[in-house]
Amino acid sequence: MHYVTAYLLTGSNIGCKLINLIEAAELIDDTTHCIVTETSSVYRTAPWGYKNQPAFFNQALKIRTSLPPYILLKRMKAIEKKMGRKPNEKWRARLIDIDILLYGNEKVSANDLIIPHPGLHVRKFALSCLSEIAGNVKHPVHAQTISKLAQNCTDHSLVIKL
């Protein structure tokens, strides 16, 4: 069986945000044929896109998986639904959000899945979490390390390590 290292970003800004992140990581580890091998600290972050909502808690997860990208996405959406995420508008408040940031060194471009995550390189909150556990990993499109992208990021949104 072939395993790939992938990186996910979890986020929550409704309910017990820290508990939501912990539950998501446990469900990923227990129900998806993925192994969570490392987690970043939790960061309190300003909302992205729609600003009139509560701050988020975000955390990056390093996983080892044999699932292909589309199946991995399907499993993450199933966890969001199981945890009670309701369909809503883009960038609005949510109980849990799980994004695939990187999947090995692969590039995927389809209507419902783009890897690396298309906003990763311009979002301070995502880069801050990810650089803690994958600072030396090169972005497959921008050919810079995650740490370098974080240093050069022009997004000045509030990001506080808890």
Side-chain angles (χ1 to χ4, degrees):
M1 189 170 287
H2 176 70
Y3 287 93
V4 173
T5 297
Y7 293 91
L8 309 174
L9 184 71
T10 57
S12 176
N13 73 337
I14 298 176
C16 297
K17 299 180 269 194
L18 183 58
I19 299 298
N20 294 340
L21 298 183
I22 292 167
E23 183 179 348
E26 288 174 350
L27 285 169
I28 290 165
D29 205 43
D30 293 342
T31 66
T32 64
H33 301 289
C34 299
I35 300 167
V36 176
T37 60
E38 195 172 354
T39 60
S40 74
S41 300
V42 174
Y43 291 78
R44 182 178 185 273
T45 66
W48 177 268
Y50 182 72
K51 303 285 186 193
N52 191 20
Q53 61 182 317
F56 276 82
F57 279 14
N58 288 106
Q59 183 177 46
L61 309 175
K62 178 181 181 180
I63 64 168
R64 189 171 156 244
T65 185
S66 61
L67 299 174
Y70 290 101
I71 301 300
L72 181 60
L73 175 65
K74 186 176 177 181
R75 300 273 171 90
M76 296 306 111
K77 294 302 173 196
I79 288 172
E80 289 177 348
K81 186 175 180 181
K82 180 177 184 165
M83 288 183 63
R85 180 169 175 181
K86 306 283 188 240
N88 58 13
E89 294 179 27
K90 192 174 188 176
W91 296 326
R92 296 295 178 130
R94 62 204 64 171
L95 185 75
I96 193 68
D97 183 44
I98 307 170
D99 288 331
I100 302 170
L101 299 179
L102 300 170
Y103 183 91
N105 203 33
E106 289 193 34
K107 299 174 203 168
V108 177
S109 185
N111 288 341
D112 55 346
L113 180 61
I114 300 173
I115 301 173
H117 189 285
L120 173 59
H121 67 289
V122 295
R123 295 181 181 172
K124 182 178 176 183
F125 71 93
L127 289 168
S128 295
C129 295
L130 187 58
S131 65
E132 186 179 320
I133 61 171
N136 293 324
V137 172
K138 275 200 174 180
H139 190 287
V141 173
H142 297 284
Q144 294 180 15
T145 65
I146 299 304
S147 289
K148 191 70 167 171
L149 288 171
Q151 288 172 0
N152 295 332
C153 185
T154 59
D155 173 14
H156 299 293
S157 299
L158 184 65
V159 176
I160 300 170
K161 183 178 179 178
L162 299 180

